Amino acid sequence: MANNTLRKSINIEYLSTLWMLLEFVVALYSGIMAKSILLIAFGLDSFLEIISGSILIWRLKKEANGADSETIEKVEKITSRLVGIILILLSVYVTLTSFLNLFGHGVADDSLSGIIIAILSILIMPFFIIKKRRYGNLLNSGALIEDSYCNVTCAYIAGTVLVGIVLNELFGFWWADSVSALVLVYFIFTEGIEGIKGE
């Protein structure tokens, strides 16, 4: 039973990481083309999740290959701290770029590909969240459950991306992209601190 759950957990992480790779490429490209801080932040968050997912695959494979609990615990702490540091750097980037755009009246252009990837992300993330939490509880893996919160963050960012783009599209609110991006900062920074603390 445990081996079967481990195998399923590794497969779901592979699937999640592949999706994040697609999301990273599309969101980052769309963000650069549209000059959208939100989409760029969305793409960078996806990149962080690729790193997190890859390290978690390594951790799960260690367990599948019979690694002792002390080794697995060390791998989990390394994963949390690394992702935590990157999240804090991401929050600093989003803050600085958002304020620069607000003071410089920077406007994000239209991005159909950005809207599509954000909608798909909102639809797909619940699947990964449910599966990772289920397998995390079965394996008693805090890292796997924590990784599901990365998917929650991804869905939240995707929702904020949509709000920013729609407000700009429908009402011409040039500041919507930057303000919506700033809404993310507290959430991203808090997740980063918790990761560094290993919570």
Side-chain angles (χ1 to χ4, degrees), residues 111-126:
S111 177
L112 179 60
S113 57
I115 291 172
I116 291 170
I117 198 69
I119 291 171
L120 287 174
S121 183
I122 290 170
L123 294 174
I124 290 169
M125 284 308 111

Side-chain angles (χ1 to χ4, degrees), residues 13-138:
E13 279 299 331
Y14 272 125
L15 191 59
S16 173
T17 304
L18 281 172
W19 170 257
M20 287 304 156
L21 180 59
L22 174 66
E23 198 174 84
F24 164 65
V25 171
V26 175
L28 191 64
Y29 173 79
S30 301
I32 291 168
M33 291 297 102
K35 303 184 197 85
S36 168
I37 306 163
L38 263 176
L39 279 171
I40 292 170
F42 185 32
L44 292 175
D45 176 73
S46 300
F47 180 69
L48 297 180
E49 292 191 47
I50 292 168
I51 295 171
S52 175
S54 300
I55 296 173
L56 197 53
I57 289 167
W58 174 52
R59 173 255 182 267
L60 290 168
K61 283 189 171 180
K62 283 273 188 190
E63 185 173 347
N65 293 330
D68 59 85
S69 57
E70 189 178 336
T71 302
I72 292 167
E73 190 177 332
K74 282 180 183 177
V75 171
E76 288 200 12
K77 284 182 179 177
I78 290 168
T79 305
S80 293
R81 286 177 183 157
L82 179 61
V83 174
I85 289 167
I86 298 172
L87 282 172
I88 288 170
L89 292 174
L90 176 60
S91 68
V92 171
Y93 161 79
V94 172
T95 302
L96 290 175
T97 313
S98 295
F99 277 118
L100 284 171
N101 269 19
L102 283 171
F103 289 119
H105 288 259
V107 183
D109 297 328
D110 302 344
S111 177
L112 179 60
S113 57
I115 291 172
I116 291 170
I117 198 69
I119 291 171
L120 287 174
S121 183
I122 290 170
L123 294 174
I124 290 169
M125 284 308 111
F127 168 75
F128 291 130
I129 293 165
I130 292 165
K131 290 291 185 183
K132 289 179 184 180
R133 287 185 181 176
R134 182 182 168 206
Y135 297 145
N137 284 320
L138 287 172

Side-chain angles (χ1 to χ4, degrees), residues 90-92 94-95 98 180-190:
L90 176 60
S91 68
V92 171
V94 172
T95 302
S98 295
S180 298
L182 284 171
V183 172
L184 297 176
V185 170
Y186 172 78
F187 190 72
I188 295 170
F189 185 80
T190 303

